[in-house]
Amino acid sequence: MKIHESAENYIETIYMLGRRQGDVRSIDIANELEFSKPSVSIAMKNLRENGYIEVDSMGYISLTQIGLEIAERMYERHTLITDFLTRLGVDPKIAAEDACRIEHVISNESFNAIKEYATKISGN
């Protein structure tokens, strides 16, 4: 199933916020991404309807199993690509911005090759 880049970004943001602060609400996502509350509300409705998140009666957002799988995949891509570019001498801020774009379009084959190479050169 193909998921849009914007949905991946929201899912990854929910994941990162959850790791950082525990509970996640729409306002946290809006603040993190610097998006309007109405835009985030529409996105959360779409993510909920597509089975990526659940929202409880208090407005707390959690990822479903499929949402969590997507989030973990995007987070791994983001962190590995950011680290790889930084090791190549790219400014960390630019590396993170570039990784955010790359993580959505890179093929599994290319990502796995970069991951394997990065593992070899880091000695892990």
Side-chain angles (χ1 to χ4, degrees):
M1 173 165 150
K2 178 68 177 141
I3 181 170
H4 293 281
E5 181 178 334
S6 62
E8 288 176 340
N9 280 332
Y10 277 111
I11 290 168
E12 184 181 11
T13 299
I14 293 165
Y15 179 76
M16 291 187 311
L17 286 169
R19 287 175 53 112
R20 189 167 62 219
Q21 67 190 39
D23 295 328
V24 179
R25 297 181 83 168
S26 290
I27 189 66
D28 302 317
I29 298 164
N31 291 336
E32 182 76 12
L33 297 174
E34 298 180 352
F35 291 168
S36 71
K37 289 184 260 181
S39 294
V40 171
S41 179
I42 291 167
M44 293 306 102
K45 178 180 183 265
N46 290 334
L47 291 176
R48 189 178 66 251
E49 288 176 352
N50 286 296
Y52 299 118
I53 65 167
E54 294 176 343
V55 182
D56 71 16
S57 61
M58 299 293 291
Y60 292 105
I61 299 166
S62 60
L63 296 168
T64 62
Q65 185 60 40
I66 188 69
L68 182 60
E69 289 169 12
I70 292 166
E72 288 174 338
R73 183 179 71 241
M74 300 315 300
Y75 185 74
E76 177 189 31
R77 287 177 173 216
H78 183 87
T79 55
L80 188 133
I81 293 168
T82 299
D83 183 58
F84 185 71
L85 293 173
T86 303
R87 288 175 184 255
L88 292 174
V90 177
D91 176 90
K93 185 175 191 284
I94 293 171
E97 291 169 358
D98 287 345
C100 195
R101 289 188 293 275
I102 294 168
E103 71 193 37
H104 301 287
V105 297
I106 193 169
S107 69
N108 287 333
E109 181 178 354
S110 293
F111 176 74
N112 288 332
I114 292 169
K115 183 177 176 180
E116 185 177 321
Y117 181 75
T119 301
K120 284 180 186 176
I121 63 170
S122 70
N124 291 333

